[in-house]
């Protein structure tokens, strides 16, 4: 007899109802299936009205984040066999407005991402013919971990501070600010710090630490935020001193 | 963007205070309240005369200023965020200012005891 | 073309969010330590302020040494230790101490912090309380 598995999916269909509801799907199960395979099977074979985002299937694009049995995870990187409960519960990422089913509105994050200027800032840009900016492996190591971020928003779903007050800049955006601030080629440190020490910046983080636990790329946003608080307070101190 | 100076200042005091609390408060409570019961200290350090003598030492004066000030700024800031975690996502700022005021007054009181005597 | 505003469903976080997993609960306990630390230190402050009046002090001491308050103090002690353990744990992860171009592993930093904690605790006993 072929094995089967039950998925309980939280659905929201604004064209039908203002309230979300749960729908059960019983589908064939194989040991090598990830949650994304199950969702794609439902969409292809059972119910084409189910909406979910996905692209690469290999933990690079960061589109398939969802609450899986209550924990935010990438659907493509979560094997069904790893989940102990009989029924697999799939819900849209916590703390974000839901557009339809598992599809959430990322607009807020996109705006915050731009605010921390996650790109190399140079006072004077070196012309191309003068060659590249060199870095030693040691210099890369200072920000390598934080550069792994794929903007999947799983950390935002794990962050109670963001859940309570969506004004908070949030884990991924601040971790990316840290990534560029630690880059030896960058000269925009003070510019980014001036955003981070402002309203809803690093001071709102209470180091719950869950963002770093759930991050599928081991970025450690929690650690990055704490490491910015000390330079952040020095930056604030500098704004109090008279300009010489 | 306008820097959030209040948060920066009180975070710094919180972090310094957290270090002080972690380092000194456990041994402080242990010795003061359970030291004589457990037989580590010969007499009760909380007895009136014992405490008066204890407070006369300059090292003790420095110790109580650091311990009381550190604990107050640490506790005030952290409790402010407990209120936030409990859902008081607007009121926690104004209640926080009240908590900081208590920390400042308490630290001044500790300085008073240390330098001008109880 | 004007963008059509789509209907969205906003997810609200329940006030009991910190009961959702053991890590959130451990975090909440760490944060709640602040209440015990605040109440304890304010009591201690009042106690030394009352030293100016022997009768008032002795009356207050009777409260401090009552079974109820001793039980509170024991709980405050436990929370102070819990704060200590979590603080050294988090600090050792956040501080990235380099030695000869390599980052010292957080576990080693934590071990150093715990040893410093023990030494300082003993020094407090030796320098501040031994003379009592």
């Amino acid at each position: 007899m072929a094995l089967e598995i039950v998925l309980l999916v939280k659905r929201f269909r604004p064209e039908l109802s203002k309230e979300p509801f749960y729908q059960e799907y019983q589908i064939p199960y194989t040991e090598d299936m990830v949650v994304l395979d199950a969702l794609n099977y439902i969409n292809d074979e059972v119910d084409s009205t189910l909406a979910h985002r996905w692209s690469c299937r290999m933990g690079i694009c960061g589109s398939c984040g969802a609450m899986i049995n209550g924990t935010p995870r990438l659907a493509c990187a979560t094997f069904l066999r790893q989940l102990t409960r009989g029924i697999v519960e799939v819900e849209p990422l916590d703390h974000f407005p839901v557009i339809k089913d598992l599809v959430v509105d990322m607009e807020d994050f996109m705006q915050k991402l731009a605010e921390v200027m996650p790109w190399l800032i140079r006072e004077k840009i070196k012309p191309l013919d003068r060659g590249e900016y060199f870095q030693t492996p040691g210099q890369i190591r200072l920000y390598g971990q934080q550069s792994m971020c794929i903007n999947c928003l799983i950390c935002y779903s794990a962050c109670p501070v963001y859940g309570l007050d969506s004004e908070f800049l949030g884990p991924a955006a601040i971790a990316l600010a840290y990534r560029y601030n630690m880059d030896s080629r960058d000269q925009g440190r003070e510019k980014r710090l001036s955003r981070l020490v402002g309203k809803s910046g690093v001071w709102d983080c209470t180091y719950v630490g869950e963002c770093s636990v759930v991050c599928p790329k081991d970025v450690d946003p929690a650690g990055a935020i704490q490491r910015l608080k000390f330079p952040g307070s020095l930056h604030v101190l500098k704004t109090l001193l008279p300009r010489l | 963007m306008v820097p959030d100076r209040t948060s920066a200042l009180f975070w710094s005091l919180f972090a310094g205070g957290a270090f002080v609390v972690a380092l000194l408060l456990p041994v402080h409570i242990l010795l003061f309240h359970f030291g004589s019961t457990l037989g580590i200290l010969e007499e009760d350090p909380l007895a009136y005369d014992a405490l008066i003598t204890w407070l006369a030492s300059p090292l003790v004066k420095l110790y109580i200023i650091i311990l009381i000030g550190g604990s107050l700024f640490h506790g005030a800031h952290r409790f402010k965020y407990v209120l936030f975690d409990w859902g008081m996502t607007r009121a926690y700022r104004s209640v926080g200012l009240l908590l900081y005021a208590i920390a400042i007054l308490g630290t001044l009181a500790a300085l008073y005891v240390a330098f001008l005597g109880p | 073309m004007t963008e059509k505003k789509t209907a969205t469903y906003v997810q609200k976080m329940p006030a009991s969010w910190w009961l959702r997993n053991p890590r959130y609960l451990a975090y909440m306990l760490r944060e709640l330590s602040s209440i015990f630390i605040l109440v304890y230190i304010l009591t201690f402050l009042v106690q030394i302020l009352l030293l100016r009046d022997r009768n008032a002090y002795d009356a207050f001491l009777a409260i401090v040494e009552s079974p109820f308050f001793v039980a509170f103090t024991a709980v405050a002690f436990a929370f102070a230790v819990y704060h200590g353990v979590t603080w050294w744990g988090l600090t050792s992860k956040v501080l990235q101490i380099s030695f000869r171009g390599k980052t010292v592993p957080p576990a080693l930093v934590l071990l150093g912090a715990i040893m410093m904690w023990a030494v300082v605790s003993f020094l407090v006993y030796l320098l501040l309380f031994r003379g009592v």
Side-chain angles (χ1 to χ4, degrees):
Chain A
M1 199 187 86
L3 289 169
E4 293 199 315
I5 190 159
V6 176
L7 259 80
L8 189 63
V9 182
K10 188 175 186 182
R11 303 207 52 191
F12 173 61
R13 302 183 66 187
E15 74 279 15
L16 296 181
S17 159
K18 282 183 173 172
E19 288 304 310
F21 58 96
Y22 285 86
Q23 191 164 348
E24 227 178 74
Y25 297 100
Q26 192 159 2
I27 58 161
Y29 167 83
T30 51
E31 214 185 313
D32 58 355
M33 271 171 91
V34 290
V35 174
L36 181 61
D37 293 328
L39 292 172
N40 282 340
Y41 182 89
I42 295 168
N43 196 276
D44 292 345
E45 311 287 338
V46 187
D47 181 355
S48 62
T49 68
L50 178 69
H52 68 289
R53 284 198 184 107
W54 65 284
S55 176
C56 77
R57 312 182 313 284
M58 45 200 260
I60 295 296
C61 75
S63 346
C64 68
M67 304 301 291
I68 297 167
N69 284 351
T71 305
R73 310 179 69 159
L74 289 180
C76 69
T78 308
F79 281 95
L80 288 170
R81 63 166 190 268
Q82 294 174 321
L83 303 167
T84 46
R85 275 200 284 171
I87 293 177
V88 177
E89 213 175 83
V90 185
E91 297 164 306
L93 281 178
D94 261 359
H95 311 330
F96 291 98
V98 182
I99 297 171
K100 185 175 191 287
D101 298 338
L102 302 175
V103 177
V104 295
D105 187 350
M106 306 175 60
E107 204 41 50
D108 179 52
F109 170 71
M110 295 319 235
Q111 215 172 326
K112 284 172 176 160
L113 191 59
E115 281 177 40
V116 300
M117 298 175 274
W119 52 77
L120 289 181
I121 296 173
R122 297 286 302 182
E123 280 151 19
K124 277 200 196 112
I125 292 169
K126 195 161 76 168
L128 276 181
D129 56 13
R130 300 270 305 279
E132 56 275 72
Y133 299 108
F134 290 108
Q135 268 185 324
T136 65
Q139 287 172 323
I140 293 173
R141 224 177 289 131
L142 292 177
Y143 67 84
Q145 191 182 15
Q146 276 73 27
S147 73
M148 302 305 285
C149 177
I150 55 173
N151 300 353
C152 64
L153 304 189
I154 279 176
C155 53
Y156 280 75
S157 278
C159 175
V161 179
Y162 184 71
L164 287 160
D165 178 8
S166 61
E167 297 272 298
F168 177 42
L169 207 46
I174 303 180
L176 280 163
Y178 178 84
R179 176 251 173 274
Y180 283 93
N181 272 13
M182 295 301 283
D183 193 319
S184 59
R185 301 164 296 179
D186 181 78
Q187 295 170 330
R189 190 172 168 273
E190 300 298 319
K191 276 188 188 160
R192 279 185 214 96
L193 278 178
S194 82
R195 172 63 195 93
L196 297 175
V197 300
K199 194 174 171 289
S200 307
V202 289
W203 313 120
D204 282 10
C205 170
T206 51
Y207 206 163
V208 180
E210 187 73 0
C211 52
S212 299
V213 174
V214 296
C215 177
K217 308 305 278 186
D218 291 325
V219 166
D220 190 17
I225 298 172
Q226 314 321 310
R227 273 172 225 133
L228 282 164
K229 284 179 180 172
F230 185 64
S233 54
L234 290 182
H235 176 89
V236 172
L237 199 63
K238 267 190 236 165
T239 66
L240 292 173
L241 298 174
R243 270 159 224 267
L244 298 173
Chain B
M1 190 176 243
V2 188
D4 184 349
R5 296 197 176 94
T6 315
S7 297
L9 171 68
F10 287 102
W11 174 80
S12 308
L13 290 166
F14 156 80
F19 179 77
V20 169
V21 172
L23 205 58
L24 300 179
L25 198 62
V27 66
H28 175 89
I29 299 181
L30 184 72
L31 291 177
F32 244 111
H33 296 269
F34 304 102
S36 58
T37 321
L38 295 173
I40 307 169
L41 301 176
E42 280 164 25
E43 46 178 321
D44 184 4
L46 287 171
Y48 185 83
D49 296 321
L51 196 54
I52 291 273
T53 322
W54 185 70
L55 274 170
S57 142
L59 196 59
V60 167
K61 289 181 195 292
L62 183 67
Y63 168 83
I64 61 159
I65 294 166
I66 292 174
L67 181 74
I68 294 175
S71 302
L72 285 174
F73 281 107
H74 164 71
H77 185 79
R78 191 169 257 183
F79 184 57
K80 171 187 164 186
Y81 283 92
V82 169
L83 298 176
F84 175 88
D85 287 340
W86 285 347
M88 295 169 66
T89 54
R90 303 249 174 270
Y92 85 109
R93 284 189 192 279
S94 36
V95 181
L97 288 178
L98 185 73
L99 289 162
Y100 293 147
I102 293 172
I104 293 167
L105 288 175
T107 308
L108 290 175
L111 283 164
Y112 173 80
V113 173
F115 290 113
L116 300 171
Chain C
M1 198 187 100
T2 49
E3 201 184 321
K4 196 183 144 223
K5 183 86 186 137
T6 44
T8 53
Y9 161 63
V10 179
Q11 309 185 82
K12 286 246 164 67
M13 196 160 77
S16 60
W17 63 268
W18 45 276
L19 291 170
R20 275 217 317 230
N21 77 39
R23 292 178 300 275
Y24 284 152
L25 184 63
Y27 160 78
M28 187 48 85
L29 285 174
R30 183 188 93 199
E31 299 296 288
L32 286 178
S33 69
S34 62
I35 296 176
F36 290 85
I37 289 166
L38 273 181
V39 173
Y40 172 77
I41 208 71
L42 285 172
T43 314
F44 181 67
L45 179 61
V46 169
Q47 198 173 346
I48 57 173
L49 283 169
L50 284 176
L51 281 170
R52 56 170 56 232
D53 177 351
R54 183 160 198 154
N55 291 331
Y57 180 83
D58 285 339
F60 194 75
L61 185 62
I63 302 172
V64 168
E65 296 194 330
S66 68
F68 173 80
F69 206 84
V70 170
F72 165 80
T73 312
V75 176
F77 172 72
F79 271 110
V81 172
Y82 186 57
H83 163 72
V85 172
T86 54
W87 183 257
W88 305 130
L90 294 176
T91 318
S92 62
K93 272 194 242 167
V94 170
L95 288 179
Q96 288 176 313
I97 299 171
S98 296
F99 183 71
R100 289 185 181 165
K102 289 207 169 137
T103 310
V104 181
L108 208 62
V109 181
L110 178 60
L111 188 71
I114 300 276
M115 276 162 59
M116 174 189 69
W117 193 12
V119 169
V120 170
S121 297
F122 187 68
L123 283 177
V124 166
Y125 163 69
L126 212 62
L127 299 175
L128 300 181
F129 286 87
R130 194 79 185 285
V132 176

